[in-house]
Amino acid sequence: MNLPELGAFLRTRRDRIRPAEVGLPQGPRRRVPGLRREEVAQLAGLSADYYTELERGSAKNGVQPSAQTLAALARALRLNGDERDHLFHLAERPVPPSAHGPSAHVQPALLGLLDRLSNTPARVITDLHETLVENDLARNLLGKSPAHRGPAASFVYRWFTDPQARERYPPEDHPHHSRVFVADLQAAAARRGRDAEVTKMIAVLRRRSQEFAALWDTHDVAVRRMDHKRIVHPTLGVIELDCYNLLSEDGRQRLLWFTAPPGSPGAEQLELLSVIGTQDLGITEGTAPEGLSAAESGSQP
């Protein structure tokens, strides 16, 4: 691992970003042209001390950034695809797929739009419904996304294999969501062609869920671009919202956000979300859903 070069690269990327670009106040007395180290650490979900060691390029404390850490830094520093790959090469980590998977590189255009949606729940997901990044309001509305790998990283997968995944939706709405998820997955599978990730996921879902298998065999297909949803919030009750999707050019990532007509009960409930803490969905981060084998979940020992 080339720690000095890694540190120098991080430092130069930090210097070029202005606070306003990532939703931070400019402040009257900034001594650096770009972001402070602690600001990068905050954006990436790291401790300031850990990030400082990375940027200093010191090996004395055994700094070995994981793929998840590198992906978080790439998002925080708004790296483009080539820069993201370079970061992984410097850290001597395998470069993950650019468009999908839990460590996917969020497309800068979608990330920039997400930054501007500070007053509405929003997240960027893959075409397999793996959450890549989300804002605080999305976590307040839907609960924090569990840190799964493999097929279980997909909300569609959890929808058909883990009953807890459906708890935020009224039971009478479940059949509709099941149909929408499967039709959207049909489109993603065709777009990806002979992709091993989606092929494995579909095979396991057909084996584990009779409901999924029956819907898959209808061959209905429809890319989800808009839907009306009712969300069961632990504190606010049922919230009726419109859910919109903005797809990337290749269709493999999408910006998803929730809104409601002005003056509606849903709009008033969204206003309250900003003062309500993130609710626990009862899913322990990093654990596989009940009955899911380690091989299927992709979780690490």
Side-chain angles (χ1 to χ4, degrees), residues 106-240:
V106 182
Q107 297 195 14
L110 297 183
L111 195 56
L113 288 172
L114 177 67
D115 288 338
R116 289 163 174 76
L117 294 175
S118 58
N119 296 319
T120 187
R123 57 175 38 159
V124 178
I125 66 174
T126 70
D127 55 352
L128 299 186
H129 295 255
E130 302 153 321
T131 298
L132 302 179
V133 62
E134 59 190 351
N135 62 19
D136 289 338
L137 284 177
R139 284 186 286 270
N140 290 354
L141 178 66
L142 301 169
K144 184 177 180 180
S145 298
H148 292 310
R149 297 185 184 182
S154 164
F155 183 71
V156 174
Y157 184 91
R158 299 196 304 275
W159 178 266
F160 289 102
T161 60
D162 177 17
Q164 287 184 324
R166 303 190 178 200
E167 288 182 351
R168 293 241 164 162
Y169 300 88
E172 57 270 26
D173 295 350
H174 291 180
H176 165 75
H177 293 311
S178 294
R179 290 192 299 270
V180 169
F181 282 140
V182 173
D184 189 72
L185 184 60
Q186 285 273 12
R191 184 168 53 245
R192 290 194 181 201
R194 298 182 181 276
D195 182 276
E197 180 185 15
V198 70
T199 299
K200 175 184 177 182
M201 184 173 123
I202 293 168
V204 176
L205 279 173
R206 288 181 65 90
R207 185 169 69 249
R208 291 180 56 85
S209 171
Q210 292 183 353
E211 179 189 19
F212 176 86
L215 288 171
W216 189 260
D217 288 341
T218 67
H219 295 278
D220 290 341
V221 58
V223 176
R224 188 177 74 167
R225 294 181 174 87
M226 186 272 177
D227 201 359
H228 186 77
K229 289 191 173 186
R230 296 192 300 163
I231 310 295
V232 181
H233 191 273
T235 302
L236 300 177
V238 177
I239 309 176
E240 292 200 32

Side-chain angles (χ1 to χ4, degrees), residues 239-293:
I239 309 176
E240 292 200 32
L241 300 169
D242 294 320
C243 176
Y244 294 93
N245 292 256
L246 176 64
L247 278 66
S248 62
E249 187 174 356
D250 62 5
R252 291 201 171 195
Q253 290 184 12
R254 62 186 69 176
L255 174 67
L256 181 153
W257 75 96
F258 296 87
T259 186
S264 67
E268 295 176 0
Q269 289 167 306
L270 283 181
E271 289 287 336
L272 293 173
L273 275 178
S274 61
V275 295
I276 293 177
T278 302
Q279 302 295 322
D280 181 10
L281 274 174
I283 300 176
T284 302
E285 185 170 331
T287 60
E290 182 178 356
L292 188 63
S293 69

Side-chain angles (χ1 to χ4, degrees), residues 18-93:
R18 299 299 178 263
E21 295 177 29
V22 292
L24 295 173
Q26 180 67 38
R29 301 174 62 183
R30 299 186 69 89
R31 297 181 179 179
V32 294
L35 298 180
R36 301 185 179 100
R37 286 173 176 166
E38 58 268 25
E39 290 171 335
V40 175
Q42 176 187 352
L43 291 169
L46 306 174
S47 73
D49 289 342
Y50 181 83
Y51 177 75
T52 298
E53 288 296 319
L54 273 181
E55 196 172 289
R56 285 176 177 170
S58 173
K60 65 179 181 179
N61 292 325
V63 175
Q64 297 285 332
S66 66
Q68 289 74 23
T69 296
L70 296 171
L73 285 170
R75 289 194 287 268
L77 294 169
R78 302 301 193 262
L79 303 187
N80 62 33
D82 291 337
E83 291 170 329
R84 189 284 306 260
D85 292 353
H86 184 63
L87 180 65
F88 274 77
H89 288 314
L90 290 176
E92 296 182 358
R93 297 287 185 184

